[in-house]
């Protein structure tokens, strides 16, 4: 009986020791989890940026947008390509004479220099801002079938300050390397130089038109009628001026029906008709005394 009680006590002690040890370990673990860390690293869950805190209903709250500025990636600088070289003007590639070829407002450059009066300079269209542009088209006749062999200077109604007139048919043929003398169509352009000199200005002795302020010497036209050839008013040219144009108006033959034709003032020193225009001229300064010389009416 005594031996049995001793065995029962020994078995109870052997079971109580592990149970007490396990309870102590669990107690220490619970204390560690409830205490705040001191001096150690912050747990990862406590520093997670943008984590969603649980709402009272158990649904995660939406994360707040970040206010940090976006990161812009700056590409590394690369060497810039050189600007393209300006295109070199070439001869016109137009093959047919139309109203668009060297229309009013367009500018031209010299394609080939003049060789003689028979082979004058050739011009081609270029932008007016081009450094090779030399003249601008002030006006142009409409393209039409050839009418006659009247010289180009007589055909278009150019302004008096026109520097030169271009016969567009032959000019286009030369620009395309053709030498044909017959042209299906014709047109004429009145041009003004972009820079001085301006031979068409009054008194400069050049240009295709004779206008008020120009000086002339007396000549005879092919039909035997009086005419005039323009010279410089300052007498620096090969010929001294004889007359100076003081008035110019439409020829009486071209005056509208029912209107009174204009005329030169009484005592005008010289009158002549030039391309449908009537010119009235007085003696030029420094010209030989023309007192008593009769006026010549063309």
């Amino acid at each position: 009986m005594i031996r049995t009680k001793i065995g029962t006590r020994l078995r109870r002690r052997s079971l109580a020791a592990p149970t007490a040890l396990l309870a102590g370990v669990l107690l220490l673990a619970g204390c560690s989890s409830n205490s705040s860390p001191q001096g150690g690293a912050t747990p990862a869950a406590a520093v997670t940026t943008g984590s969603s805190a649980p709402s009272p209903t158990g649904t995660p709250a939406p994360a707040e947008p970040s206010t940090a500025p976006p990161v812009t990636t700056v590409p590394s600088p690369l060497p810039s390509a050189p600007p393209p070289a300006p295109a070199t003007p070439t001869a016109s590639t137009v093959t047919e004479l139309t109203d668009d070829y060297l229309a009013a407002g367009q500018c031209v450059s010299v394609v080939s220099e003049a060789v003689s009066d028979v082979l004058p300079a050739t011009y081609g269209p270029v932008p007016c801002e081009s450094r090779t542009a030399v003249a601008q088209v002030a006006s142009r006749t409409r393209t039409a079938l050839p009418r006659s062999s009247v010289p180009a200077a007589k055909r278009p109604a150019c302004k008096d300050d026109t520097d030169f007139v271009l016969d567009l048919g032959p000019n286009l043929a030369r620009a395309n390397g053709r030498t044909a003398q017959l042209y299906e169509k014709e047109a004429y352009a009145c041009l003004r130089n972009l820079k001085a000199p301006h031979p068409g200005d009054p008194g400069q002795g050049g240009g295709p038109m004779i206008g008020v302020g120009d000086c002339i010497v007396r000549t005879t036209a092919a039909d035997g009628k009086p005419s005039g050839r323009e010279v410089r008013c300052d007498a620096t040219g090969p010929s001294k001026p004889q007359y100076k144009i003081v008035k110019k108006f439409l020829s009486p033959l071209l005056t509208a029906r029912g209107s009174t034709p204009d005329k030169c003032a009484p005592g005008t020193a010289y009158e002549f008709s030039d391309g449908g225009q009537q010119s009235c001229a007085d003696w030029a300064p420094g010209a030989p005394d023309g007192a008593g010389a009769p006026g010549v009416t063309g």
Side-chain angles (χ1 to χ4, degrees):
M1 187 66 178
I2 295 173
R3 193 175 295 166
T4 301
K5 292 180 178 180
I6 294 174
T8 301
R9 290 175 182 175
L10 291 175
R11 284 194 299 269
R12 288 176 178 176
R13 289 178 180 177
S14 61
L15 293 173
T19 302
L21 179 60
L22 178 60
V25 172
L26 293 176
L27 180 60
L28 291 175
C31 293
S32 299
S33 61
N34 292 331
S35 61
S36 299
Q38 297 182 3
T42 303
V47 297
T48 303
T49 303
S51 62
S52 300
S55 63
T57 59
T59 305
E64 295 183 359
S66 175
T67 58
V71 178
T72 304
T73 303
V74 180
S76 58
L78 297 176
S80 58
T88 302
T90 58
S92 172
T93 57
V94 181
T95 58
E96 183 181 0
L97 181 59
T98 65
D99 287 341
D100 295 331
Y101 178 65
L102 296 186
Q106 294 184 11
C107 291
V108 300
S109 66
V110 179
V111 175
S112 61
E113 298 288 348
V115 177
S116 63
D117 293 339
V118 179
L119 191 60
T122 302
Y123 298 88
V126 294
C128 290
E129 60 271 16
S130 172
R131 57 187 177 84
T132 61
V134 297
Q136 186 173 28
V137 179
S139 61
R140 182 192 190 277
T141 62
R142 294 185 61 85
T143 303
L145 296 175
R147 299 187 299 273
S148 65
S149 58
V150 176
K154 306 290 185 179
R155 186 69 56 77
C158 295
K159 294 182 179 180
D160 290 342
D161 63 354
T162 299
D163 287 329
F164 65 99
V165 171
L166 196 58
D167 190 346
L168 298 183
N171 181 80
L172 180 58
R174 293 192 303 270
N176 288 316
R178 303 201 316 265
T179 57
Q181 297 300 314
L182 298 177
Y183 308 99
E184 296 179 357
K185 298 179 181 179
E186 68 177 9
Y188 301 90
C190 313
L191 292 101
R192 173 89 173 166
N193 292 333
L194 294 177
K195 297 180 180 179
H198 294 287
D201 284 350
Q204 296 302 305
M209 315 304 293
I210 297 177
V212 175
D214 286 332
C215 292
I216 62 169
V217 293
R218 182 185 300 186
T219 60
T220 303
D223 56 4
K225 294 182 178 181
S227 185
R229 178 172 59 85
E230 188 177 355
V231 296
R232 293 185 63 89
C233 288
D234 59 7
T236 59
S239 301
K240 305 297 182 183
Q242 291 179 304
Y243 306 96
K244 186 173 184 177
I245 306 298
V246 295
K247 185 178 180 180
K248 187 177 179 181
F249 53 89
L250 195 63
S251 174
L253 296 177
L254 301 178
T255 303
R257 182 176 299 180
S259 59
T260 302
D262 203 349
K263 60 178 63 176
C264 296
T268 298
Y270 189 56
E271 303 177 34
F272 67 97
S273 181
D274 180 23
Q277 297 285 323
Q278 193 77 9
S279 297
C280 312
D282 286 339
W283 294 104
D289 185 8
V296 180
T297 303

